[in-house]
Amino acid sequence: RLRCSAASFSSSSSSSSGGERAPDTSLFVPVPLKPAGGAGEEDVGAELTRPLDKGEVLKNLNKFYKRKEIQRLGADNGLDARLFHQAFISFRKYIMESSSVSADLHIILNDICCDAGKVCLLGHVDDLFPFFLRHAKQIFPMLDCMDDLRKISDLRLPPNWYPDARAIQRKIIFHSGPTNSGKTYHAIQRFLSAKSGIYCGPLKLLAHEIFQKSNNANVPCDLLTGEERVYANEDARQAPHVACTIEMCSTNTPYEVAVIDEIQMIRDPARGWAWTRALLGLCAEEIHVCGEAAAVDLVTELMYTTGEEVEVRNYKRLTPLTVLDYALESLDNLQPGDCVVCFSKNDIYSVSRQIEARGLECAVIYGSLPPGTKLEQAKKFNDPNDPCKILVATDAIGMGLNLCIKRIIFNSIVKPTVNEKGEKEIDTITTSQALQIAGRAGRYGSSFKRGEVTTMHREDLPQLKEILNEPVRPVKAAGLHPTPEQIEMFAYHLPDATLSNLIDIFVSLSQVDGLYFVCNIDDFKFLADMIQHIPLNLRSRYVFCTAPLNRKEPFVCTTLLKFARQFSRNEPLTFDWLCRHTKWPLAAPKSIKELVHLEAVHDVFDLYLWLSYRFMDMFPDAALVRDIQKKLDDIIQIGVCNITKLIRASQSAAAPGTAEVVSQNFPLSRTKRDPGARSTEALSIAVDAPGDRRAKNLKAYRSGTRLEDLKSRGHGSLANRLLREGLLTQEMLRQLESEWQDQHRNGRYGLGSKQDDQNSLKEMGKKKK
């Protein structure tokens, strides 16, 4: 009978399960099933036997659930404890709430209920298993196609994804060297001499630089970024050369020479997949790869899997770089050509204001500024006739800008980062990051023939020297990302799953070998969840979810939502609509808050242009938007040039939302690698963690300030930052205020004795735990 067929489920499934790792079943979302039967429908099972006693049915269903044999059968068919429980709850609800069930299920239930307690049984609860399994596969359709899903998500042979590249024998040349060694220069010379070529860089600024350099050398070259395509030829004919951002490179177009810049970014948790795709997929006779020596071994191993050899050309730095034996210690010691490197906007605002308070003019560059503004600030700093001789910047200067810097000064040596899992961490900068930034000093061909590096604070200098002297950690793995085609095949098998859920299941089932990792998909999932309620076809939904935007910018995110909603109604997003939404035209900013909003509007224009490249009919006014974006760039430049005035205006207004702004007396942030260190001059909050300095957890983050400052700015930038990052709690803040008041009453305006500090910090550590 049916018990024999139920047993067969176990043998067949166990023979086909192979050695695959178990999927993360917490990602399996059940498909709701409506109860069967309704008004006017005949209950055939009841006519053949009798109506079911739902009380008896419920008792026997619960017996079925508790049987160990049934649980083992479920496990053999892909139902772990979680899925088995969810499937049973759904199965029981379906039977109990259905006015009628299928005739065969009705008969089995009737036999089980009628023979309950009898010695000679016509029916047994085990006979329900085939019906239960059928129901489970209805609510969890992935159970029926697990083998197909595993094949689709098998990422173990990425070279096979690019048959055009595998059809030719490519020559791979790795230009290995540090910053300012001329490695990219030599690769570009070969690019310019070729009949056709493609340059792939990480930034629009770099692509634009090669675009200009090529056309200035009378080598027609197009520019291709996510937001625009600029043709070298007036008749819009495609030129034989193209400079592009790496995500935009074509793996189908044949070239004589391809240049892949900054290859070490193949390990980037978010964008590494683009370098992997270019390296494995570009159809070029010669592939010139430029980057750190740390990536040589990985590239060689990857090319071994394609049957291609790698020729390595090593380069040395063209100008000397010296790590000074003394720290700057005070902004009074700044000299022309100095660049103060910060790792947060707060520090940018603070340092720039303190510099200008000393009667010095400074240029400012940070990541969220538009490319045009960055170039103008760099031009201002580089101009020997301009009074601006100091630069304050984030690590955005690490690539993409040609700067005449004499001395790099690290304001801090800790930086917020995002790991492979998408988790935010605060850790000491890596050797690779330190070398990339420090290498900007003493650029070859500039007015400074040698570069110098130091720190703002004396205690950071030994740590910086140690970091710079360490070997760069080798790049171990290359990033991968699901393709639209793979997600479409997943959706075919799981039509009721959301896009976010599809991606989760894909990553859960994906298999990669030791040379690869799957890039984190948090931003993709965030956008997928945000627009899930909007009716879009899968391909359009996927495109919207890959849009490059900062999810921490609410205005940009809500704009994408409005774009998607209007797109779903098949209503074109016109220039007039965009102007109304952004309240264009906009005035020059009068505060930091307004400057930040203008940067967000610039990102919205970028988003429109990015979507217009993919949905030209629905975003038809790209040319008009590009024109006003250039005007907005000029407005933002005015704001950045007057950034200290904006800071003062923001502080005097004390408007909500301006907690990011710092006061003139805000001390420069200080860092320590030793999480156990204590200071009687500054409040230090450290989180101890075992293991190596750059293990993937929070090691140390110390910000120096006077207790008076912390008290007076209980809602200011430092307190808010520490609260956001989990390093300070409201209870700790109240305790600090109370201690400060006690010290003030006792006439002690400092932090007290060393012993008091240690006791206070120990107490805070206990509370934190």
Side-chain angles (χ1 to χ4, degrees):
R1 265 182 69 113
L2 290 173
R3 263 165 288 181
C4 297
S5 62
S8 70
F9 281 105
S10 173
S11 59
S12 63
S13 64
S14 60
S15 63
S16 63
S17 61
E20 307 287 358
R21 64 186 178 96
D24 182 359
T25 55
S26 65
L27 303 173
F28 293 3
V29 180
V31 178
L33 288 184
K34 293 181 180 179
E41 288 191 23
E42 295 184 7
D43 189 349
V44 177
E47 292 180 7
L48 294 175
T49 56
R50 63 176 184 172
L52 293 173
D53 181 342
K54 290 297 178 79
E56 284 297 322
V57 169
L58 180 59
K59 290 180 184 178
N60 284 286
L61 285 175
N62 290 334
K63 287 181 184 178
F64 170 83
Y65 174 71
K66 294 176 182 178
R67 283 184 57 77
K68 298 296 183 183
E69 294 84 351
I70 295 299
Q71 294 174 14
R72 282 195 292 271
L73 271 176
D76 290 340
N77 286 275
L79 294 168
D80 64 7
R82 180 197 300 272
L83 295 186
F84 183 85
H85 178 74
Q86 286 183 288
F88 173 74
I89 296 299
S90 175
F91 182 59
R92 183 177 65 185
K93 181 180 179 182
Y94 173 80
I95 291 176
M96 298 304 293
E97 293 183 1
S98 295
S99 57
S100 64
V101 295
S102 61
D104 51 353
L105 176 57
H106 186 108
I107 293 170
I108 291 295
L109 288 169
N110 181 71
D111 289 349
I112 294 171
C113 292
C114 288
D115 293 328
K118 295 182 181 178
V119 177
C120 182
L121 300 179
L122 292 175
H124 189 279
V125 289
D126 288 3
D127 297 339
L128 287 172
F129 184 78
F131 301 97
F132 167 73
L133 185 61
R134 182 174 66 190
H135 182 91
K137 289 182 176 181
Q138 284 180 293
I139 66 168
F140 294 116
M142 59 285 294
L143 294 175
D144 229 2
C145 55
M146 191 61 70
D147 289 341
D148 289 334
L149 296 179
R150 288 188 188 278
K151 288 176 184 177
I152 296 168
S153 59
D154 190 340
L155 307 179
R156 287 177 291 186
L157 293 172
N160 293 349
W161 303 348
Y162 309 102
D164 292 343
R166 302 290 76 80
I168 61 175
Q169 188 64 30
R170 306 180 306 169
K171 182 179 180 181
I172 314 296
I173 301 166
F174 195 122
H175 299 265
S176 168
T179 303
N180 203 8
S181 62
K183 58 185 183 296
T184 307
Y185 169 82
H186 287 89
I188 294 302
Q189 291 304 113
R190 181 66 186 97
F191 168 82
L192 295 174
S193 66
K195 295 177 182 177
S196 63
I198 180 171
Y199 168 84
C200 307
L203 301 173
K204 287 184 280 188
L205 284 173
L206 285 170
H208 196 270
E209 180 186 344
I210 301 303
F211 163 73
Q212 287 185 323
K213 185 176 292 186
S214 298
N215 287 295
N216 291 341
N218 295 319
V219 177
C221 179
D222 294 342
L223 173 66
L224 179 61
T225 69
E227 294 76 28
E228 65 177 334
R229 174 149 201 163
V230 180
Y231 292 95
N233 300 313
E234 293 181 359
D235 57 0
R237 282 185 300 106
Q238 189 170 321
H241 288 70
V242 61
C244 66
T245 45
I246 194 158
E247 286 86 353
M248 298 301 295
C249 71
S250 168
T251 56
N252 301 318
T253 308
Y255 299 100
E256 181 182 349
V257 169
V259 177
I260 304 175
D261 207 357
E262 305 293 352
I263 187 62
Q264 69 275 3
M265 290 190 70
I266 201 168
R267 67 180 164 202
D268 187 83
R271 297 179 66 199
W273 63 270
W275 276 263
T276 306
R277 174 176 171 269
L279 183 62
L280 298 178
L282 282 173
C283 295
E285 298 169 24
E286 291 180 23
I287 307 283
H288 290 258
V289 178
C290 306
E292 296 176 359
V296 169
D297 289 345
L298 177 64
V299 170
T300 302
E301 287 190 65
L302 292 176
M303 293 302 95
Y304 178 79
T305 65
T306 66
E308 295 161 330
E309 294 184 0
V310 179
E311 175 190 341
V312 180
R313 298 178 185 175
N314 293 303
Y315 300 82
K316 293 183 179 180
R317 184 177 166 88
L318 297 173
T319 57
L321 180 66
T322 304
V323 182
L324 300 178
D325 291 327
Y326 54 89
L328 190 71
E329 298 196 81
S330 170
L331 294 176
D332 294 329
N333 298 324
L334 285 172
Q335 301 171 3
D338 279 351
C339 172
V340 182
V341 176
C342 308
F343 293 113
S344 74
K345 274 190 182 180
N346 280 352
D347 289 343
I348 289 280
Y349 298 152
S350 169
V351 172
S352 59
R353 181 168 180 182
Q354 292 182 65
I355 289 173
E356 296 208 3
R358 288 164 168 78
L360 301 173
E361 191 172 341
C362 67
V364 174
I365 296 175
Y366 51 88
S368 59
L369 285 177
T373 304
K374 290 177 186 174
L375 287 172
E376 284 301 314
Q377 289 291 298
K379 182 179 177 182
K380 177 182 179 183
F381 173 70
N382 289 338
D383 187 353
N385 299 318
D386 195 291
C388 173
K389 301 299 180 187
I390 308 295
L391 175 63
V392 181
T394 64
D395 54 346
I397 64 165
M399 59 180 70
L401 292 167
N402 293 321
L403 297 161
C404 297
I405 298 172
K406 177 185 179 183
R407 181 170 60 173
I408 289 285
I409 301 156
F410 284 90
N411 183 54
S412 167
I413 56 171
V414 293
K415 176 189 176 184
T417 59
V418 177
N419 65 19
E420 291 88 344
K421 298 178 181 179
E423 300 166 339
K424 186 178 178 181
E425 298 175 341
I426 300 173
D427 202 1
T428 313
I429 57 175
T430 65
T431 300
S432 175
Q433 292 166 340
L435 289 171
Q436 186 82 23
I437 297 166
R440 308 310 287 178
R443 177 174 165 267
Y444 180 76
S446 72
S447 55
F448 302 111
K449 303 304 179 185
R450 61 186 301 113
E452 298 174 344
V453 184
T454 188
T455 59
M456 180 65 68
H457 306 289
R458 186 187 310 169
E459 60 267 34
D460 288 341
L461 189 55
Q463 302 162 35
L464 178 64
K465 287 183 177 180
E466 183 183 339
I467 293 169
L468 291 172
N469 287 329
E470 288 178 0
V472 178
R473 291 189 175 185
V475 181
K476 296 290 188 182
L480 295 174
H481 193 279
T483 66
E485 293 76 19
Q486 289 169 326
I487 299 304
E488 281 183 339
M489 287 190 283
F490 249 57
Y492 172 79
H493 289 290
L494 306 174
D496 296 307
T498 65
L499 180 55
S500 177
N501 191 227
L502 283 175
I503 288 287
D504 273 336
I505 295 174
F506 184 99
V507 174
S508 169
L509 295 177
S510 64
Q511 300 177 73
V512 296
D513 66 26
L515 295 177
Y516 301 96
F517 68 92
V518 179
C519 290
N520 79 57
I521 50 173
D522 288 351
D523 288 344
F524 185 98
K525 286 176 54 185
F526 173 81
L527 296 180
D529 289 333
M530 188 175 72
I531 65 172
Q532 179 56 41
H533 64 286
I534 299 175
L536 296 167
N537 64 60
L538 183 65
R539 182 59 73 116
S540 298
R541 189 180 298 277
Y542 184 94
V543 171
F544 271 93
C545 293
T546 55
L549 58 78
N550 182 358
R551 61 174 173 170
K552 295 179 182 177
E553 288 287 350
F555 182 68
V556 183
C557 292
T558 55
T559 301
L560 179 73
L561 192 62
K562 291 181 179 181
F563 282 171
R565 188 175 291 119
Q566 190 149 334
F567 181 94
S568 71
R569 296 195 293 258
N570 205 32
E571 298 174 3
L573 290 115
T574 62
F575 175 75
D576 291 339
W577 182 95
L578 188 63
C579 288
R580 287 196 302 272
H581 175 66
T582 58
K583 296 180 173 57
W584 182 264
L586 295 164
K590 297 178 181 178
S591 66
I592 288 293
K593 185 178 180 180
E594 290 183 10
L595 176 61
V596 170
H597 177 69
L598 291 181
E599 292 169 8
V601 174
H602 193 281
D603 288 344
V604 165
F605 292 164
D606 260 348
L607 178 61
Y608 184 98
L609 295 172
W610 190 89
L611 289 166
S612 73
Y613 191 81
R614 290 146 183 85
F615 305 111
M616 296 181 184
D617 294 340
M618 297 300 293
F619 296 84
D621 295 328
L624 295 172
V625 173
R626 194 167 286 113
D627 287 341
I628 62 171
Q629 189 182 45
K630 290 176 182 176
K631 295 177 182 177
L632 177 59
D633 211 332
D634 294 337
I635 296 171
I636 292 174
Q637 286 176 36
I638 295 171
V640 173
C641 288
N642 297 308
I643 195 164
T644 55
K645 295 179 182 177
L646 303 187
I647 295 171
R648 284 195 294 270
S650 298
Q651 294 231 303
S652 60
T658 57
E660 292 286 324
V661 183
V662 292
S663 73
Q664 183 171 354
N665 294 324
F666 191 90
L668 305 178
S669 63
R670 310 182 69 168
T671 60
K672 273 283 190 183
R673 270 178 83 185
D674 178 12
R678 296 289 183 264
S679 170
T680 59
E681 298 175 353
L683 170 65
S684 303
I685 297 173
V687 179
D688 289 0
D692 185 71
R693 171 174 56 81
R694 283 193 293 277
K696 293 178 181 176
N697 53 13
L698 180 61
K699 292 286 180 137
Y701 183 65
R702 310 179 72 235
S703 294
T705 184
R706 298 171 306 195
L707 273 179
E708 302 98 299
D709 294 335
L710 184 60
K711 166 140 186 348
S712 63
R713 288 192 308 280
H715 300 287
S717 60
L718 178 65
N720 271 1
R721 194 192 328 168
L722 295 176
L723 286 168
R724 284 197 306 271
E725 290 161 357
L727 302 176
L728 184 68
T729 65
Q730 291 288 355
E731 183 182 354
M732 291 164 62
L733 184 59
R734 285 193 293 270
Q735 182 183 346
L736 288 170
E737 292 178 0
S738 174
E739 289 177 0
W740 179 87
Q741 290 169 352
D742 291 342
Q743 291 171 353
H744 184 77
R745 284 193 295 268
N746 296 333
R748 296 162 56 198
Y749 294 93
L751 278 182
S753 68
K754 181 176 180 180
Q755 186 64 38
D756 289 341
D757 290 343
Q758 290 176 339
N759 292 338
S760 175
L761 286 166
K762 285 178 182 177
E763 186 65 26
M764 284 195 297
K766 290 178 183 177
K767 295 200 174 197
K768 181 69 178 173
K769 290 177 183 176

